[in-house]
């Protein structure tokens, strides 16, 4: 299992509705992507909750490195590269994944803590 995330910091005057529309229209295209266990789209808006920047930060949980590589070399990620430039892709080995009692609910928030 692999965890992967990339972050795209956007200009201060960027219309974040463009990102929300992108997530709404393009996000479902990965629903049946073989080897993708979970996806979440992080969005930070400058000034909201103290964020100093606008940022788009997709997060993925992959069942195997081959699936992650297929995505990174495929048309979905190439669209990111075309529209925003090539972001640095972070990835980590996942140790475990367990569905909790809220697994069927629509998430309302996520937090990432980094040292």
């Amino acid at each position: 299992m692999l965890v992967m995330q990339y972050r795209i910091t956007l200009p201060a005057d960027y219309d974040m509705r463009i990102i929300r529309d992108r997530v709404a229209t393009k996000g479902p295209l990965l629903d049946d992507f073989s080897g993708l266990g979970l996806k979440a789209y992080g969005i930070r808006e400058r000034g909201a909750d103290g964020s100093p920047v606008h940022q788009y930060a997709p997060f993925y949980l992959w069942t195997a490195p081959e699936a992650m590589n297929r995505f990174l070399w495929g048309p979905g990620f190439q669209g990111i590269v075309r529209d925003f430039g090539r972001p640095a892709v972070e990835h980590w080995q996942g140790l475990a994944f367990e569905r909790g009692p809220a697994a069927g609910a629509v998430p309302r928030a996520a937090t990432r803590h980094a040292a």
Side-chain angles (χ1 to χ4, degrees), residues 25-83:
T25 58
K26 297 187 183 296
L29 299 176
L30 290 176
D31 285 352
D32 296 322
F33 195 95
S34 178
L36 178 60
L38 176 127
K39 64 181 181 343
Y41 299 101
I43 297 173
R44 293 173 68 186
E45 293 195 51
R46 186 171 182 261
D49 296 323
S51 176
V53 297
H54 285 321
Q55 196 171 64
Y56 173 46
F59 175 91
Y60 306 90
L61 181 66
W62 300 99
T63 60
E66 296 81 13
M68 182 177 78
N69 291 338
R70 254 191 350 270
F71 170 75
L72 290 172
W73 289 104
F77 190 70
Q78 296 313 306
I80 290 288
V81 172
R82 179 193 66 237
D83 295 345

Side-chain angles (χ1 to χ4, degrees), residues 82-100:
R82 179 193 66 237
D83 295 345
F84 302 105
R86 182 173 299 280
V89 176
E90 300 175 279
H91 58 90
W92 308 270
Q93 183 69 43
L95 299 178
F97 172 76
E98 185 175 324
R99 292 191 187 280

